[in-house]
Amino acid sequence: CDPEAAEAVFSNEWLAAKTTLITLDLTHQALATHDIRQRLLNGPAGAPLCSTGLTLRALFHDLLVFFASRYWEVFRLKEGPPLHDPIAVAVLLSESEVAFDDWGGERWHVDVVMVGLHGEEDEERGQVGRTIISKTDGEGVRIPRAMDVKRFWDVIEDCVRRAEETLLASS
């Protein structure tokens, strides 16, 4: 949590207009379900291109299985883990790669709560780092509310396939 850095970005009109905020509400729309994990392990054809690809796919699969287990233990989220960072990166792709729905261009003013201490105890921390949004008619932060989840997983699969092909070409 770095509320000072967040506040520096969100309070700068020039930066805010270029910023897309990816929320937990959005990342929890693209869960790595059992079927998704199997698809990423086995590839679209049902088998990896090579044994090195199998190792890559098995590593990715095992990471997702680990996080699925942790999300179940900690949050009771049984469908599978969300992929926060890959979704935050996917928003940088063109809309033809993965479409994000910002409800026709809605923009937001984002305030960051700066009152509280950095720490693990809720009583000390208070609300520090929490974001509070209000709609703006002008330039502001983009906050998508939905995404093309199927296309997101297609892009992830394509990235794994490309990595697999690169490993195959180098062996």
Side-chain angles (χ1 to χ4, degrees):
C1 175
D2 191 347
E4 292 83 8
E7 178 65 17
V9 171
F10 296 137
S11 66
N12 181 306
E13 290 181 24
W14 185 80
L15 289 176
K18 298 173 181 275
T19 300
T20 300
L21 181 63
I22 301 299
T23 65
L24 293 177
D25 292 339
L26 185 66
T27 62
H28 282 236
Q29 292 176 25
L31 302 177
T33 64
H34 174 77
D35 289 346
I36 292 292
R37 294 190 305 266
Q38 289 306 116
R39 173 184 173 193
L40 294 173
L41 175 63
N42 297 315
L49 295 176
C50 62
S51 61
T52 308
L54 176 60
T55 303
L56 170 77
R57 287 180 177 278
L59 173 66
F60 195 39
H61 174 266
D62 289 352
L63 284 169
L64 292 174
V65 167
F66 168 78
F67 282 107
S69 170
R70 293 299 296 152
Y71 269 84
W72 168 247
E73 291 170 13
V74 175
F75 303 110
R76 291 294 187 234
L77 185 62
K78 71 178 185 175
E79 293 84 3
L83 268 66
H84 306 294
D85 294 343
I87 292 172
V89 171
V91 80
L92 300 173
L93 302 172
S94 71
E95 284 290 320
S96 64
E97 290 289 330
V98 179
F100 288 86
D101 183 2
D102 62 5
W103 287 23
E106 278 185 334
R107 295 299 178 258
W108 302 88
H109 174 76
V110 180
D111 284 313
V112 180
V113 175
M114 303 300 288
V115 177
L117 302 173
H118 295 279
E120 294 184 21
E121 299 299 322
D122 286 341
E123 298 81 35
E124 291 177 356
R125 190 172 54 246
Q127 299 293 313
V128 69
R130 179 172 293 238
T131 54
I132 301 169
I133 64 171
S134 56
K135 202 170 191 179
T136 181
D137 292 329
E139 295 289 318
V141 175
R142 178 181 182 219
I143 305 177
R145 303 213 198 152
M147 61 182 284
D148 184 341
V149 174
K150 181 189 178 313
R151 184 66 188 129
F152 169 75
W153 288 114
D154 289 346
V155 168
I156 294 293
E157 168 58 41
D158 187 54
C159 291
V160 173
R161 180 192 52 77
R162 287 187 207 182
E164 194 177 30
E165 288 173 352
T166 300
L167 288 169
L168 182 61
S170 67
S171 58

